[in-house]
Amino acid sequence: MTRLLRRATLVVTAAGMAVCTAPLAGQNPAYEELQNFSSVLNHVRLNYVDSVSYRELVRAAIDGVLRSLDPHSYFAERGAWDKRAAFEAGEAAWCGITLERVGEEIVVLSVDPGGPADRSGVRPGDRLLTVADTSVAGLSAVEAEAELIGDEGTKVTLAFERGPRFEPDTLRVSLERKRPNARSVRNVRLLDQRTGYLRLTRFRADAGEELRDAIERLRDNGADRLILDLRGNPGGALNAALDVAGLFLPKRAVVFRMFGRKADTNAEASLDRAGPFQRMALVVLVDASSASASEAVAGALQDHRRAVIVGRRTFGKALAQAPFFLPGGDVVWLTIGRIWTPSGRSLQREYRNRTIEAYREDAGSPDRGRAADEDGAPGEEERGGVAPDLPVERPGAPPAWWSAALEQDLQLAVADSVAQTLPESPESRAEWLTNPDRWGTALLEPFMESARAALGPLPDPESDASSTMATLLAARVAEVRWGEDAGLELRLSTDVDVLAGLEVLSR
């Protein structure tokens, strides 16, 4: 990529600071711009109709500067940063939600499987409105997340918006904070005699080692092909992404490249050893909540033709950030580099000079409203993210009132009562797991009756939403009657992405 720059003359002072003596064409010298800013600040302080403190004005200016750069650079006060650090160290509890700023909104990027938010029906793409009845307008994603972190067992009430913005559904949930699961790898199991499955939920520092151990256990049990689930994985440490991708690639393979303004941010991440599973047939599942390090791994495996990517286009966040600490303890988190795949693809979605509507999105939409090419199709670079080799439509989601029903434990009342009527025998288990028609009559119909009695008149859900609700209820029955493993088996056996992955591997 070639970029033409108009250069100014630089003089290095005795202190080693470069001073611009000839400004770029059409630009004022830096001191004049700072003088303008100071003058505006004073005019506001002296003449604005309401009294405004310098702190408010400076903070608003800092936020404005950082938001003009990209959606992922932000300022965090010391309290919010300390809360986040306590959570990362495992010393604080959370609600099981990862947030991201999209335009002017705080959006749920991912939901921790089995966490408080997941159990209450919160979904990726939900737009956060309030925390404890206080609006999150104007907050960065990290500040909003800090409000969700606290002591284990305490509760916080959240309000969300879902669906079309002109006629949205609203949902209100009360979540009990829980300590996060310390493991990155979950749900390790054989889907059949040859196919291993596991889910990587986050790229913590030891994610590569965890994943290696889990795959070795699967291989010892006969697996020679693998489905790696990165859906809902919001990312994490880039070093962990290098470790994970390195399990499947040959020595000296490039995993990603990073380019930044400063020389020390330009780097090529390649492997110094061969991966132990580089000959294992591999499918990787992704969706719109797969972000950052997840996209680096999926992009690298796709570029090297090492895996088939199945699911939906990923989020489109391929920037590297670093914290810079201020004297008072506050933190500026800045983008210092862009991540590129081995073949030279930038996975970062377009955000500059775009309207808010241009990058608002439904978490399952394949194109997400990006700018269009001349033929009207969204441009590949403007969409961002990793496009799957095998696209799969997202299954129907439950309606918004499903969360209100979960708040009243209506699903437990119905599912648990049905579970108690079923024999514990292996034959009964197998019959239940493979008979979806039974789930509708035994579960969905009585659940709808209970929901209408508790919540008032409700429309009949769409057929795909009904199927999803019946499956969730049936999985609860399986967990209560035959244990957690039975519930997981039911969910995976009906998962459209997993089924598509199995089809790919069978070919």
Side-chain angles (χ1 to χ4, degrees), residues 399-461:
W401 58 258
W402 169 261
S403 294
L406 298 187
E407 280 285 289
Q408 299 189 33
D409 290 335
L410 300 182
Q411 87 288 4
L412 303 185
V414 172
D416 292 8
S417 62
V418 170
Q420 300 306 317
T421 68
L422 300 176
E424 293 185 357
S425 66
E427 294 78 14
S428 176
R429 180 184 189 273
E431 195 276 336
W432 179 260
L433 297 185
T434 57
N435 192 355
D437 291 338
R438 187 177 176 188
W439 307 340
T441 56
L443 291 170
L444 190 57
E445 292 176 7
F447 173 78
M448 289 297 301
E449 291 179 7
S450 298
R452 289 184 172 116
L455 305 176
L458 297 172
D460 289 331

Side-chain angles (χ1 to χ4, degrees), residues 77 79-81 83-84 93-95 99 128 130-136 139-151 154-158 175 177:
E77 292 185 341
W81 185 262
K83 271 190 173 183
R84 186 70 194 180
W94 72 327
C95 298
L99 300 174
L128 181 62
T130 64
V131 177
D133 295 322
T134 300
S135 173
V136 298
L139 297 184
S140 67
V142 72
E143 289 172 319
E145 282 187 349
E147 297 299 316
L148 309 183
I149 296 171
D151 294 331
T154 59
K155 289 189 175 183
V156 62
T157 300
L158 310 180
L175 304 180
R177 296 182 176 98

Side-chain angles (χ1 to χ4, degrees), residues 271-335:
L271 303 174
D272 57 7
R273 67 184 68 180
F277 312 114
Q278 58 179 304
R279 298 191 181 280
M280 198 174 202
L282 179 63
V283 163
V284 176
L285 307 183
V286 297
D287 64 8
S289 297
S290 305
S292 190
S294 294
E295 298 177 278
V297 168
L301 296 175
Q302 189 178 55
D303 276 7
H304 288 291
R305 299 182 183 274
R306 179 58 192 85
V308 177
I309 311 300
V310 173
R312 289 155 294 287
R313 183 181 291 272
T314 61
F315 184 77
K317 180 182 178 183
L319 301 175
Q321 284 93 28
F324 297 87
F325 294 89
L326 305 181
D330 298 333
V331 180
V332 177
W333 188 265
L334 287 178
T335 296

